[in-house]
Amino acid sequence: MDCSLLINPYYGKTSTRGIVMHLEDSLKYGPAIIYNVPGRTGQDIKPEIIMQIAGHDHFCGVKECMGPERIRELADQGVACWSGNDDQCHMSRRDYGAVGVISLTSNVVPGIMREMMYSADRAAADALDAKIQPLYKWLFTEPNPIGVNTMLMMLGASQPVFRLPYTHTSKEMRREAVKLIQAVGQQHMPLLGEVRVLEDEEFKHVLNGDVAA
């Protein structure tokens, strides 16, 4: 592991000083990327907070979910930023100063994501981004990680077991997923066997990893 991802405490909102103290105390354990995801934590780590800790020896940068303009604001101040929004990562990398993406979609199409982000051929990268936009939309229709887990299970890359409160997508969505997989190209995915829609009863649910419900 190169470094950890550090979030601000979810549910327990705090002051600016509290966020800084929390992150600084966590950074002392080793290299870390600050993960700013207000949609999950409920509280934005604003640029002025990032700049208070940017000089820390273990600070590596930010995984930023507030969009390209926020990435540009931080990048212009010398902060390494990874996009946290897959559907915007290509634009953020090419036009707003992001150094890359910490990506959910790369679990499904790792080669495409890497080529899209780092290809020297901008037109080819644009075409790849357009090609997988429907995949982004499908993967994030349900709260993450429901979509990616369901798709990986359909590809045979993982067992059809969910830890609650997560569960599978609807059968209608799973049928749509098969069409998406075929459109993008199965050769780009971690496919083990044949793509299967899977029946609802094939999915298992656990609370703690011990007992399937």
Side-chain angles (χ1 to χ4, degrees):
M1 185 174 77
D2 295 314
C3 62
S4 62
L5 276 177
L6 298 180
I7 62 169
N8 46 316
Y10 54 88
Y11 182 75
K13 293 182 180 180
T14 185
S15 63
T16 295
R17 181 169 176 265
I19 295 176
V20 171
M21 291 178 65
H22 173 80
L23 294 176
E24 285 183 337
D25 202 52
S26 301
L27 280 164
K28 71 184 181 184
Y29 293 104
I33 294 172
I34 307 305
Y35 183 11
N36 185 33
V37 56
R40 289 186 180 268
T41 65
Q43 191 169 20
D44 185 15
I45 306 177
K46 296 181 179 180
E48 52 266 32
I49 299 176
I50 294 296
M51 297 316 298
Q52 288 187 53
I53 61 173
H56 196 288
D57 288 343
H58 287 155
F59 176 84
C60 297
V62 180
K63 177 183 177 181
E64 182 58 71
C65 295
M66 288 296 285
E69 291 294 345
R70 174 66 65 83
I71 287 173
R72 173 179 281 163
E73 182 178 354
L74 290 168
D76 285 349
Q77 297 182 76
V79 175
C81 290
W82 288 262
S83 174
N85 301 330
D86 285 17
D87 61 334
Q88 299 175 333
C89 68
H90 170 58
M91 173 177 57
S92 295
R93 167 84 168 94
R94 302 285 175 167
D95 303 321
Y96 289 84
V99 299
V101 59
I102 298 177
S103 167
L104 170 83
T105 309
S106 62
N107 289 282
V108 178
V109 285
I112 287 179
M113 291 296 293
R114 182 171 181 80
E115 183 178 355
M116 180 188 73
M117 293 298 284
Y118 297 108
S119 173
D121 185 339
R122 175 63 188 263
D126 288 346
L128 285 175
D129 183 52
K131 180 178 182 177
I132 60 176
Q133 283 290 334
L135 179 61
Y136 297 146
K137 182 177 180 180
W138 188 94
L139 288 171
F140 289 96
T141 296
E142 297 280 4
N144 178 44
I146 291 171
V148 68
N149 284 353
T150 300
M151 186 168 282
L152 290 173
M153 292 167 187
M154 292 173 59
L155 291 165
S158 62
Q159 294 297 312
V161 179
F162 280 91
R163 187 175 66 178
L164 294 172
Y166 300 116
T167 185
H168 52 81
T169 65
S170 67
K171 192 168 185 179
E172 180 181 357
M173 279 193 66
R174 300 198 298 273
R175 291 193 182 105
E176 292 175 6
V178 172
K179 296 176 183 177
L180 274 175
I181 290 167
Q182 293 169 345
V184 173
Q186 298 178 9
Q187 70 273 20
H188 300 295
M189 302 182 181
L191 176 63
L192 302 179
E194 296 183 3
V195 179
R196 298 181 57 227
V197 172
L198 296 173
E199 298 298 328
D200 288 352
E201 56 268 22
E202 293 184 74
F203 294 98
K204 305 297 181 184
H205 298 86
V206 298
L207 280 174
N208 56 16
D210 296 329
V211 181

